[in-house]
Every structure is written in structure tokens, then in C-alpha cells.
Amino acid sequence: MPLPPKVSIILPNLNSYPFISERIETILHQTLAEWECIVIDGYSNDGSWELLTEVASKDTRFHLYQFPPKGPYDAWNKGIDKSTGEYIYIATSDDTMVSQCIEQMVSALDKHQVCDIAHCNLRVIDEQGEASSLLDWDDVPIYFDGLIQTNQSNIRYAPYDGLVHCAEGGVYMSITQLLIRKRLFEKIGLFLTNYGSIADFEWTMRASLLYHTIHIPKYLATWRIHPKQATSFASLQTIEHQRRICKLIDIAFAKALQINPNTLKGIDINKFRVGKQLGVLENDWRKAKTKRAKILVLLEWYKKNSYLVKLFIKRMIKKDYKPIHPIQYIKQQISFYHLEHNVTIVE
């Protein structure tokens, strides 16, 4: 009886014909050959399903399934359920990776058994596969300001990465940066399916509040920004996006504490919530036109985070209207709780 593959590559597809050939090539060219590719297709009608069928007829490592489309996270979850490998890699259909990607991340997790997530550097590309003019990953504040070290191999022990999620929209910009032990899904559950195209933020926060990450300082994966992708780049800047992120932060904290009540022992999570919540509260306050409406805003937010409202009122009394920078604020909290010791440089 053949041994199970080392890695299960989950390839979701829904009419991704313009990019699917390149994605398949990056899978076939991996230097580690002990993988299976679980394709979850949403009844594509653009020719991509036929292309995948042809590939699978030539390479038995590809396993194809079709289901009615219910969003990307439903497809990811179905793929994980059908996987048999020790590790999970989610190969979004419009992105790519270098040929050593899987091998180097597997090597890191094999070497550092204490970790359940491997995280690599990322290149952001455009529709043609060139460097994106919209975003350079090296300029993302959460990395540039030193909360996450990307130029050295390091282990970030929980709950470090989970708490840093409260700073700037997440530690892991793309799921393609991650290789995940399958047992982690068995421990903490699968992806939420009712939060549109950003539910991976909650899962990665939940996971990294509880389990450790090894960082690989190499550019092994890409994230493609293009007009047809699920996540609209422009929408990430809106207050409604920030509001949804605040909700996902609350869900991640609640789920992590349900799984392990001691994971955040001695840490006031309301102080970390402030990093994202303050901007949304200030927006709600400004939109309220009457004194009564403003009081109702504060009362509603007080139910969610009393510390936040007290801080807001204190700032109003002092007429301190200077915005709180989320990165700098979270860095202060990391320092206050001495969590910088949760990051260890390794070889």
C-alpha cells in the first residue's frame, strides 16, 4: 500500500482559466514530489475544468472534485477534508510559487516540530505576473516597523502573531505564504464561510494565538492583485472593511479562549483590540449628529470594549485628536507584556 503524500496541495478553482495553467506549472515543478493536489472546482465553464481534467489524466497525484460554488473558504474546507497529507498548502488558483516553495517550508516544519505554521516572504504581482505597482510587500508597515522580522529565520511563539493581527490587517498577507500541519485544523477547526473574502484573517489569528510559527526569510510565494480577484484591493481601505476586521478579531479571541482558556492568561485583550477599534469608534462618533446619538454610540461600544470607550473619552477631555497609529500602539502593548521575548532567532 503506497504511503500517504507528505503535502496535500488544495487547489480551488472557479473559472480561473487565465491563470490556472501557470498555477498548475508551479505545482508540477515543485522540487518536493511527495504531494497530492486536491482540486475543488465550482462547476467552471470557462475551460479551466477541462484543462484540469487533462492534467489529472496524465498525473495521478491530481484528484478532482466538483461542488456547487459556495465561496473560496467552503472550497478550502472541502479540500482539507479530503486531504491525506501531513501538511496542507492552499494554492489559490491565480497565484504562483517558486519551485522550492513546498520543499523549503516542509524542511522548516520538519526541523522545528514545536511549530505548526511555516511562513515565508511574499512577492506581490500584477495580472501579467510582474511586480505590482499597487503594493510592495516589503513596505507593509507591520513588517517595515519591525513587529515581524522577515530577514532572519525566527520562531514566533503564540500568542505573538495572533496579537499582532490587531495592528494592521493581519500578519499573513496571503494564504500562499503558509504551510500548515494538518493536525492544526483538527485542533482548532476550519475556515469560517460567512465572512466573504477575508475569513482567512480570523483563522490565521485564531491559529497563531494558540500555536507557533516558523518564519522562512525567502520569497517563495506570490499574491496576484488583478481586477477579477475575490478581494478588491480598494475595499481594504474602507471603514466597513475595518469594521468587519474588528468583528473577526472578536471571533478569533473568543474561539481561541474557548479552545484554551489559559492561552492569554495575564493579557488584557481589550487593550489589543483598541488598535483596530478606535478608528471605527471615532468614525461612528463623527457620524452621530446629535448628543443623544453620540451617547448611544458610546454605550454600544462600551458593551464591546469598556477600555476602548474610557480611552476615547479621556482623549476627548484632553482634546487629543491625534490618531493612534495601530502599529505603534500594538508595539507598545507587545513591550508592556514583554512579548518581544516570544520571538527567537533560529538557524
Side-chain angles (χ1 to χ4, degrees), residues 189-308:
L190 297 170
F191 294 92
L192 300 177
T193 58
N194 56 342
Y195 278 88
S197 59
I198 59 171
D200 51 316
F201 172 93
E202 184 280 326
W203 188 90
T204 57
M205 180 175 174
R206 187 197 330 162
S208 55
L209 283 169
L210 295 163
Y211 295 96
H212 316 314
T213 299
I214 174 71
H215 183 79
I216 304 162
K218 296 181 180 180
Y219 293 85
L220 303 177
T222 72
W223 177 45
R224 193 189 304 266
I225 297 178
H226 62 88
K228 296 180 180 179
Q229 71 186 148
T231 304
S232 168
F233 185 70
S235 72
L236 302 182
Q237 317 305 319
T238 66
I239 195 68
E240 287 311 310
H241 174 76
Q242 300 307 316
R243 194 183 305 279
R244 293 171 73 207
I245 289 292
C246 288
K247 178 62 176 177
L248 291 175
I249 287 172
D250 290 344
I251 293 172
F253 274 133
K255 285 182 174 290
L257 289 169
Q258 185 178 27
I259 294 167
N260 183 359
N262 294 319
T263 189
L264 296 167
K265 189 174 182 179
I267 296 175
D268 185 349
I269 61 176
N270 281 331
K271 292 184 177 180
F272 281 90
R273 283 187 171 113
V274 166
K276 278 294 179 187
Q277 288 182 340
L278 184 60
V280 181
L281 168 55
E282 289 175 341
N283 177 78
D284 292 350
W285 170 268
R286 287 193 300 269
K287 288 177 65 176
K289 300 302 182 183
T290 67
K291 183 177 180 180
R292 181 177 182 275
K294 290 181 182 296
I295 292 172
L296 289 174
V297 166
L298 293 181
L299 289 173
E300 188 63 31
W301 273 100
Y302 192 86
K303 297 175 187 175
K304 301 174 184 177
N305 188 345
S306 60
Y307 175 83
L308 169 72

Side-chain angles (χ1 to χ4, degrees), residues 72-234:
Y73 301 107
D74 179 76
W76 296 8
N77 291 342
K78 284 183 168 67
I80 293 163
D81 283 340
K82 292 187 175 298
S83 66
T84 62
E86 179 182 354
Y87 298 113
I88 299 291
Y89 184 82
I90 297 174
T92 41
S93 58
D94 52 357
D95 297 314
T96 67
M97 56 185 165
V98 303
S99 58
Q100 302 86 13
C101 178
I102 300 294
E103 182 178 17
Q104 293 197 10
M105 290 208 280
V106 165
S107 177
L109 285 177
D110 280 350
K111 182 177 180 180
H112 301 284
Q113 292 290 321
V114 69
C115 298
D116 284 298
I117 301 170
H119 174 223
C120 71
N121 292 354
L122 182 73
R123 294 200 185 281
V124 184
I125 60 175
D126 62 16
E127 196 165 7
Q128 287 73 43
E130 303 296 329
S132 173
S133 61
L134 294 174
L135 180 65
D136 185 337
W137 185 78
D138 291 323
D139 292 337
V140 174
I142 203 166
Y143 303 106
F144 188 72
D145 287 357
L147 272 173
I148 302 296
Q149 296 291 332
T150 61
N151 60 353
Q152 291 179 292
S153 295
N154 62 85
I155 293 177
R156 301 190 295 269
Y157 292 94
Y160 187 90
D161 276 14
L163 293 172
V164 174
H165 271 70
C166 298
E168 193 68 27
V171 173
Y172 317 123
M173 183 178 291
S174 171
I175 198 69
T176 61
Q177 292 176 268
L178 307 182
L179 184 73
I180 305 161
R181 292 190 198 275
K182 184 179 179 181
R183 71 185 186 195
L184 185 52
F185 293 100
E186 296 163 358
K187 292 176 181 177
I188 73 167
L190 297 170
F191 294 92
L192 300 177
T193 58
N194 56 342
Y195 278 88
S197 59
I198 59 171
D200 51 316
F201 172 93
E202 184 280 326
W203 188 90
T204 57
M205 180 175 174
R206 187 197 330 162
S208 55
L209 283 169
L210 295 163
Y211 295 96
H212 316 314
T213 299
I214 174 71
H215 183 79
I216 304 162
K218 296 181 180 180
Y219 293 85
L220 303 177
T222 72
W223 177 45
R224 193 189 304 266
I225 297 178
H226 62 88
K228 296 180 180 179
Q229 71 186 148
T231 304
S232 168
F233 185 70

Side-chain angles (χ1 to χ4, degrees), residues 50-69:
E50 288 74 17
L51 178 59
L52 286 160
T53 301
E54 182 181 352
V55 171
S57 70
K58 300 174 182 177
D59 192 323
T60 58
R61 292 174 297 179
F62 283 82
H63 309 290
L64 275 55
Y65 303 90
Q66 283 191 308
F67 297 95

